[in-house]
Amino acid sequence: MDAHPTDHPLQPHQVGLLVIFILTFKDLPTKNFDSEFLLYLLRMLLDEVSELTQPKSFRELRDVLSAAPKSDEGDVRALISAFKAFKLETTDQMINFFSGLPMLFQEKDEGTEGPESILGRRSIFGFYCRRCYISFGKLSFSGVTQFYKEFLLWIDGKPNNAYKSNHKDELNSTDSQIFQTQGDRQNWAQPEAYASWIKGQTIGDETLAKENLRSFFEQRFHEGNDSGVRQLGLLNMVRYHYIHEEYSAGRKLLSEAIHVSRNTGDKITLQQCISLLRRFPSVNERPPINEVQPNLNPLDILYDVKKLMDDTNEQPLSASFLKIAESLGVFDLWCDTNMNTTRESDQWAQHAVQAIVWNAAGCENIGDIEADVAVAFTSAGSSDNNRLTALLNTAYRRARQGNYDNALAILLNPAVWKGLTLPDYKIWAQEVWQVLALRASRRGQDRLYRDFLLPRQPPGERNMRHYVYIPRPRSVPIGKISDPLHELLRLRECEASSIMTEQLLKSIWHSEFLFRIHHYRIAVILLADAGLQLGLSKSSQKMIEDIMPQIVTGNDIEIRAFAAFTVARCIIAAGHSVSGLQHAAWWLVIAEKDYMVLQLYRSVLDVQYLLAVVYNSMGAEQERDASAQRFKTTQQIVEDLEASVADAETGAILDMVSRVGILEFEGSNKLEA
């Protein structure tokens, strides 16, 4: 696609920049500017000349100059004072000002005498000054008069029409230019419509998003009859439907985008369309995996890790690590070949993914390091999904460890939710609700969970079996590892877990083969618990003691508490010697402390009751009475929590989540503390 001849409308802030150029570079050898000030000034001018940010007002330019280092020294102070006192009182003064501008960039011809140009014509500063001079030279008298009025409004800090995009019409021309090029006669593509599309996508306004996306890609990009960018508009619209989980509408547009990309020969967009198609949920079939090939985005390879992590697909964790390594290689290739769609923040995505994979492998400490890397090198308060993913996983892991207040503090930090888009807000709100639901279910607050939390749950994916003992929903695919364990825990509450022994053995085999060590440890403890019910106390004790070195570190204290309670029961069932009872009491004390941290009060009651029985068998009356007293205290706590229907703290947190959502929908991220 050939570049189009763009026009360059003259704007008032450019006069202010030209004044700074003249005050700085005219007679520069005779001025004594400090090097630190010059570096500051040149960086500021580069930022403004590049036009990548909103133009500054006269007051902002004045404040930026006043904040420069060494601003109180001789020539620097004189430059700042001259800029503050600069005025153009008539249109003739403006014409004279631009007439003297060529001395900055005009080069003398060979063999002629005259001063050397201050700025090279092809330097970035010289090109900018020359472009402004030519744009002013094309203005008619009425155009100069109108521009002068807008310049006075800019000096006074008042709104003006110089920064509004004007539609060019041959029949209704304003005659502001006496000389017009081809680019001045036609309307070329402007970014305002795309900015409105991004805003609509962020706040979830579908009408605003679709209309502005259509308007943007219907603009004139080059001289050809076909814009050649229709497939890009379709691809952006498909992404919008995918993010908002509108899969049926997304599939229809995606097939059209693939067809248009093939007809136009756009291989990069075609690859992006195919990769996006593979992200859509598969129905009754295994999801396809991307193969490394040209134009493949490294983030699409990282997304394959999510498919490989699903135990319904029966893939080992080694495949996930292999995909992460492939994404690193593809990302390096994209950086080496200067692909302009690679963002700097994308390099931290693999750390956020590695954190999840290492946790599944049972290496929680390495997972915490990877999550900390993703958080440390991303900007707080931004819309970076990598940072959000790492923070949400960290918060939920803290909640799993019983640090509910710390987890909620991470999630409710304004730096986390301040820059969220609407789709990311839904994920954030769902994670806050999950922490509250986890705490309520562990405390045994069934009424609070059923009557208060469930009616206020945000939309999104969640597994209710993490909080309550319910049968598997029919719409959820059957996994080989987690689903049998959830079903066994449900039947264990009904004292009917013996019928799940075969499924439990299969779950152990699959978790070991697929290297899901976290699930493997839980399954082994449940197998030991089932063996204890069958009178196999010695075998069950040895089974737990073999994996206890992996558990005793406390990376998951819920597993450690369950393992300690189970091994204590195995020791008690194996014999009633004093040393055995002392060993069992030692494990029960660990289980009691861990369950208290987790606020699993019903399990605390079981441990405290058994501990009192053990102390009584040992003849330790003082310890027995203390354990019995703790049992009564915990029992009172359980009764109070079961009776509570509402919680002021939980209500305040959910109210804050709702307020953040309202402000997010309005397109504002300001919230009073």
Side-chain angles (χ1 to χ4, degrees), residues 5-8 168 180-188 223:
T6 57
D7 56 341
H8 181 253
K168 300 171 185 176
Q180 287 186 340
T181 63
Q182 183 179 2
D184 296 324
R185 296 188 181 94
Q186 296 179 347
N187 293 290
W188 300 100
E223 293 287 354

Side-chain angles (χ1 to χ4, degrees), residues 93-394:
Q93 290 184 2
M94 176 170 281
I95 294 173
N96 293 334
F97 171 79
F98 275 93
S99 297
L101 198 61
M103 67 177 180
L104 291 176
F105 57 84
Q106 193 168 25
E107 298 177 353
K108 66 177 183 178
D109 297 331
E110 295 182 2
T112 60
E113 296 181 358
E116 295 287 343
S117 64
I118 300 174
L119 302 173
R121 291 184 62 188
R122 300 190 180 277
S123 68
I124 184 172
F125 289 158
F127 181 81
Y128 184 80
C129 295
R130 185 160 57 97
R131 189 171 63 170
C132 293
Y133 174 76
I134 294 174
S135 297
F136 184 81
K138 292 191 295 184
L139 293 178
S140 63
F141 182 77
S142 60
V144 172
T145 304
Q146 180 63 30
F147 179 69
Y148 175 72
K149 294 178 181 179
E150 292 169 350
F151 173 74
L152 294 180
L153 293 174
W154 177 77
I155 288 287
D156 296 334
K158 298 178 181 179
N160 57 82
N161 297 324
Y163 296 97
K164 296 181 180 179
S165 56
N166 297 320
H167 183 74
K168 300 171 185 176
D169 190 352
E170 295 286 348
L171 299 178
N172 301 311
S173 177
T174 58
D175 295 330
S176 61
Q177 292 176 326
I178 192 171
F179 300 110
Q180 287 186 340
T181 63
Q182 183 179 2
D184 296 324
R185 296 188 181 94
Q186 296 179 347
N187 293 290
W188 300 100
Q190 300 295 329
E192 287 79 7
Y194 194 82
S196 300
W197 140 256
I198 293 295
K199 179 182 178 181
Q201 186 181 22
T202 301
I203 65 177
D205 191 337
E206 184 176 358
T207 303
L208 178 66
K210 290 182 177 180
E211 183 63 27
N212 283 280
L213 182 67
R214 180 189 60 79
S215 300
F216 176 76
F217 285 102
E218 285 181 353
Q219 297 181 101
R220 188 181 186 91
F221 289 90
H222 56 86
E223 293 287 354
N225 295 326
D226 186 5
S227 66
V229 294
R230 181 168 175 265
Q231 69 276 11
L232 299 179
L234 292 171
L235 177 60
N236 278 273
M237 202 65 245
V238 172
R239 286 174 176 169
Y240 177 85
H241 288 302
Y242 174 79
I243 291 175
H244 291 82
E245 300 180 358
E246 301 169 354
Y247 299 126
S248 58
R251 287 181 187 274
K252 294 179 181 179
L253 285 177
L254 190 56
S255 60
E256 184 179 357
I258 293 174
H259 178 70
V260 174
S261 299
R262 284 174 176 164
N263 290 340
T264 57
D266 191 345
K267 296 181 180 180
I268 296 179
T269 305
L270 178 61
Q271 180 61 60
Q272 292 178 350
C273 292
I274 295 175
S275 300
L276 186 57
L277 178 62
R278 291 172 177 170
R279 289 195 180 208
F280 279 79
S282 303
V283 181
N284 298 327
E285 60 182 10
R286 289 192 176 184
I289 303 297
N290 291 293
E291 297 181 359
V292 177
Q293 52 188 310
N295 305 324
L296 180 63
N297 195 306
L299 298 183
D300 290 322
I301 301 179
L302 277 180
Y303 188 81
D304 289 341
V305 177
K306 180 180 179 181
K307 307 173 187 176
L308 297 172
M309 288 285 293
D310 190 353
D311 58 1
T312 57
N313 296 324
E314 302 181 17
Q315 297 297 318
L317 278 186
S318 58
S320 300
F321 285 111
L322 179 61
K323 279 296 175 182
I324 294 174
E326 289 180 357
S327 69
L328 291 176
V330 174
F331 184 85
D332 292 340
L333 176 63
W334 276 49
C335 293
D336 294 339
T337 55
N338 297 322
M339 285 288 202
N340 55 7
T341 54
T342 302
R343 299 179 302 173
E344 183 180 358
S345 60
D346 291 344
Q347 62 183 312
W348 311 116
Q350 56 96 4
H351 292 282
V353 175
Q354 279 198 60
I356 301 173
V357 180
W358 282 116
N359 285 329
C363 303
E364 290 84 359
N365 292 334
I366 301 180
D368 291 342
I369 294 174
E370 294 291 344
D372 291 341
V373 169
V375 173
F377 291 96
T378 50
S379 301
S382 64
S383 58
D384 190 354
N385 185 264
N386 302 321
R387 181 182 181 85
L388 178 65
T389 301
L391 286 172
L392 295 187
N393 291 330
T394 300

Side-chain angles (χ1 to χ4, degrees), residues 560-575:
R560 184 175 68 180
F562 185 34
F565 183 49
T566 305
V567 75
R569 291 161 53 214
C570 293
I571 294 173
I572 296 171

Side-chain angles (χ1 to χ4, degrees), residues 499-517:
I499 63 176
M500 289 290 296
T501 304
E502 183 179 355
Q503 288 80 355
L504 177 59
L505 293 174
K506 291 182 179 179
S507 179
I508 292 176
W509 187 88
H510 281 95
S511 60
E512 184 178 12
F513 174 72
L514 302 179
F515 206 71
R516 304 297 201 277
I517 301 301

Side-chain angles (χ1 to χ4, degrees), residues 53-72:
T53 58
Q54 289 292 333
K56 286 184 172 58
S57 64
F58 177 76
R59 182 177 180 180
E60 290 174 338
L61 280 177
R62 184 187 62 194
D63 294 342
V64 169
L65 285 178
S66 300
K70 313 293 183 180
S71 59
D72 295 333

